[in-house]
Amino acid sequence: MERCDLVIIGGGPAGLAAAIAAREAGVEDILLLERDRELGGILNQCIHSGFGLHTFQEELTGPEYARRYIQRVEELGISCLLDTMVLEVSPERMVTAVNTQQGLFQIQAGAVILAMGCRERPRGALNIPGFRPAGVYTAGTAQRLVNKEGLMPGREVVILGSGDIGLIMARRMTLEGAHVQVVAELMPYSGGLKRNIVQCLDDFGIPLKLSHTVVDIQGRERLTGVTLAQVDENRRPIPGTEEHYDCDTLLLSCGLIPENELSRGAGVALSPVTNGPVVDESLETSVPGIFACGNVLHVHDLVDFVSQEAAQAGRRAARYLSGGGERGEPVRLTAGRGVRYTVPAQVDPLRMEEDLTVRFRVDNEYRGAAVVVSAGEEILQRRKKLILIPGEMEEIRLSRKELLERPQLREITISLEVAP
C-alpha cells in the first residue's frame, strides 16, 4: 500500500485543472489516475472550435485546449498513471486501482478529488420499442468513430435529442457527406446552447422538431428507418402524428449522467436532481477530504467553467491538507421557483473565498424573468434576464463579507420572479 497526499481520479479537463491548482497551492505529492491511454478526456475527440474563449480569450479546438493543460501538468512534474482503472474509493480515502504494470494496488490518500466526468444515456434507458439493429449509436460514440477512428457510422441520419453533442454531430456528419434528415427533441425546448442550434442546424438547413420523439425503430440486422411522433404536455406520443423516416443511422443525444459509481461506493451523498455529489463552498462532499468537480458534479455546457470549478477544488483540497481552517455555521442554498438545483448546496461564510460563484439551471424557458437571491423576506440580489433556458447554465455571486454581516443567516433561496 502506498500513501499520497492528493489523489485525483480522472485526467480530463477537470482533473488536469485541479492538479495544476493544487500544485500551485503548495501540494507536492499529487497522483493523477486516468483510465484512458492518454490525458485530455473527452476533449481529444472534440475537434471543433469554440473552447477557451473564457479561459484563454481565444478560440481553440478541444485537443488544443487540453494540450495547454497537459503541458502545464508536465512542466509541474505532476505524477500521472494512464491505463489505470480505479475500482473503489473508501470513506477513509483508500483508493483501489488496477493496471497492467502494477496489477491491483491501493493508495491511502490524504484527500481525493473526484473528476470522472459523465457518460451518455444509452438506448436501454429510453424505452424505445423495436429490435436492436446495427446503426444506433450515442452521439459521443459516433463522434469518436468519425473524429478519432476515421469511420462513418452511416449516411442517412436521424438524431434524437438536441443536447450539444447531438447538435455538433449534426454538423459534423453533414460535413463528412452524410444527410442529416431531422433532429427530434422530446422537450418543448432545446437542450443545447443557442449558438449550437444556429451554427449546427440553422446554417445547414437541418430541421429541429421540438416535442417529438422516436416511437419505433425498424430493421433487424441494420437500421432501416425510424418513426417519429409528436408528444403532449405529459411527453406521451399523440396518435395520428407519426412520421416515418428511411435512415441507416440513429444518433442518441438524450442527456448526460455523472459517472458516480465511485462516489456512491465512498458513501458520498448524491443529489437526486443532478445525480452528482452534494457539495459545499469548498466543493467538498459529505465525506470529509473527498472533493468533486467538473461533469461528475453536474453537467456543464462550457469546458471553461469546468476548469474554473476544478481549479477551485484543487485549491480547497490543498487547504484541507494544510489543516482546513476555522469552520462556522453552514448556510443552506435552496432552489426556489423555476430553479432546478444549485451548486454548491450549502456554504460556510468563514471558509468562503471573497466571492463565490453559485451555478444553477432553470427548469423551463423563461423570458423577461428576474433571478432573485433572498434570505427570508430580505432580497440580497435581483437581476433581470431577457431569456433563461435549461440548456444554458446560469450563475450568481455571493459575497463573503455580505454573509458574515448576517451571522444569524441559515438559508438563502435562489428563485425566479416571472413576469405575468
Side-chain angles (χ1 to χ4, degrees):
M1 184 184 70
E2 303 174 25
R3 294 186 179 274
C4 183
D5 286 344
L6 177 60
V7 173
I8 299 172
I9 304 173
L16 293 169
I20 292 167
R23 173 57 60 83
E24 292 176 343
V27 183
E28 292 297 325
D29 189 15
I30 301 173
L31 179 61
L32 192 153
L33 304 175
E34 167 57 45
R35 66 184 177 184
D36 208 345
R37 59 179 180 268
E38 57 189 348
L39 296 174
I42 196 68
L43 291 176
N44 291 320
Q45 67 186 51
C46 299
I47 65 172
H48 54 279
S49 60
F51 300 91
L53 292 170
H54 294 265
T55 306
F56 300 109
Q57 286 72 57
E58 60 180 303
E59 197 170 28
L60 304 171
T61 65
E64 288 173 332
Y65 185 96
R67 191 63 209 161
R68 297 200 178 186
Y69 279 88
I70 294 169
Q71 286 175 334
R72 185 61 180 150
V73 165
E74 292 170 347
E75 289 169 3
L76 293 171
I78 296 171
S79 298
C80 303
L81 285 180
L82 303 178
D83 280 318
T84 300
M85 175 67 74
V86 176
L87 303 177
E88 183 181 41
V89 179
S90 77
E92 296 75 33
R93 302 183 298 282
M94 179 73 73
V95 179
T96 304
V98 64
N99 62 28
T100 56
Q101 301 298 314
Q102 296 156 281
L104 186 70
F105 62 97
Q106 290 186 311
I107 304 167
Q108 178 60 62
V112 174
I113 296 179
L114 305 172
M116 295 89 69
C118 59
R119 66 177 183 269
E120 296 176 283
R121 184 171 280 111
R123 178 190 168 179
L126 302 177
N127 296 322
I128 301 173
F131 293 102
R132 301 183 65 84
V136 181
Y137 303 87
T138 62
T141 299
Q143 185 181 56
R144 183 179 182 93
L145 289 172
V146 174
N147 293 347
K148 295 199 72 177
E149 311 296 337
L151 301 172
M152 275 295 283
R155 293 292 172 181
E156 290 292 330
V157 183
V158 170
I159 299 177
L160 175 61
S162 61
D164 287 313
I165 304 176
L167 298 176
I168 287 164
M169 282 309 295
R171 176 178 63 185
R172 189 78 183 100
M173 295 291 285
T174 302
L175 291 173
E176 287 296 325
H179 176 217
V180 180
Q181 300 183 40
V182 67
V183 175
E185 169 57 56
L186 177 68
M187 304 301 288
Y189 49 79
S190 170
L193 295 171
K194 180 64 177 178
R195 75 180 191 196
N196 283 335
I197 297 172
V198 173
Q199 295 173 4
C200 301
L201 299 188
D202 297 350
D203 288 358
F204 292 90
I206 300 170
L208 171 62
K209 287 183 174 288
L210 301 175
S211 298
H212 280 72
T213 191
V214 173
V215 294
D216 190 27
I217 290 176
Q218 292 94 40
R220 294 182 72 97
E221 299 301 321
R222 174 77 195 196
L223 183 72
T224 59
V226 299
T227 302
L228 300 185
Q230 190 175 347
V231 298
D232 59 22
E233 62 274 8
N234 297 315
R235 305 178 201 168
R236 293 174 181 160
I238 300 172
T241 63
E242 294 85 1
E243 299 174 87
H244 177 77
Y245 291 84
D246 289 323
C247 61
D248 58 22
T249 305
L250 173 65
L251 302 187
L252 305 175
S253 180
C254 302
L256 301 169
I257 305 167
E259 195 80 72
N260 270 302
E261 285 70 23
L262 293 176
S263 311
R264 193 175 290 108
V268 168
L270 301 181
S271 163
V273 180
T274 65
N275 294 314
V278 176
V279 296
D280 61 15
E281 76 295 326
S282 300
L283 300 179
E284 189 173 9
T285 69
S286 59
V287 179
I290 298 182
F291 299 77
C293 58
N295 283 352
V296 81
L297 177 56
H298 61 133
V299 176
H300 295 63
D301 41 25
L302 293 178
V303 72
D304 302 74
F305 296 156
V306 168
S307 299
Q308 292 172 16
E309 186 178 88
Q312 181 188 353
R315 292 191 298 270
R316 304 310 290 216
R319 180 175 175 176
Y320 173 85
L321 290 168
S322 65
E326 185 182 0
R327 287 184 179 269
E329 287 293 328
V331 178
R332 189 169 73 241
L333 300 185
T334 301
R337 178 186 180 184
V339 176
R340 294 186 61 231
Y341 68 87
T342 69
V343 172
Q346 66 177 36
V347 298
D348 181 343
L350 287 179
R351 293 161 56 83
M352 280 174 59
E353 296 177 345
E354 289 308 312
D355 281 302
L356 176 71
T357 298
V358 178
R359 294 193 166 96
F360 65 93
R361 287 188 189 270
V362 298
D363 62 4
N364 212 325
E365 185 174 311
Y366 297 93
R367 294 181 183 273
V371 178
V372 178
V373 182
S374 57
E377 298 299 317
E378 181 185 9
I379 294 178
L380 305 179
Q381 297 179 38
R382 178 188 278 113
R383 183 160 49 97
K384 194 77 178 285
K385 298 282 287 187
L386 287 176
I387 186 167
L388 294 155
I389 59 175
E392 297 193 19
M393 191 178 294
E394 301 292 332
E395 65 179 47
I396 56 103
R397 290 183 178 273
L398 294 180
S399 164
R400 181 176 187 266
K401 179 176 178 291
E402 199 173 50
L403 297 190
L404 287 175
E405 289 172 351
R406 297 167 172 79
Q408 303 307 314
L409 184 61
R410 293 294 174 266
E411 183 174 10
I412 291 174
T413 301
I414 301 173
S415 58
L416 301 185
E417 190 176 82
V418 182

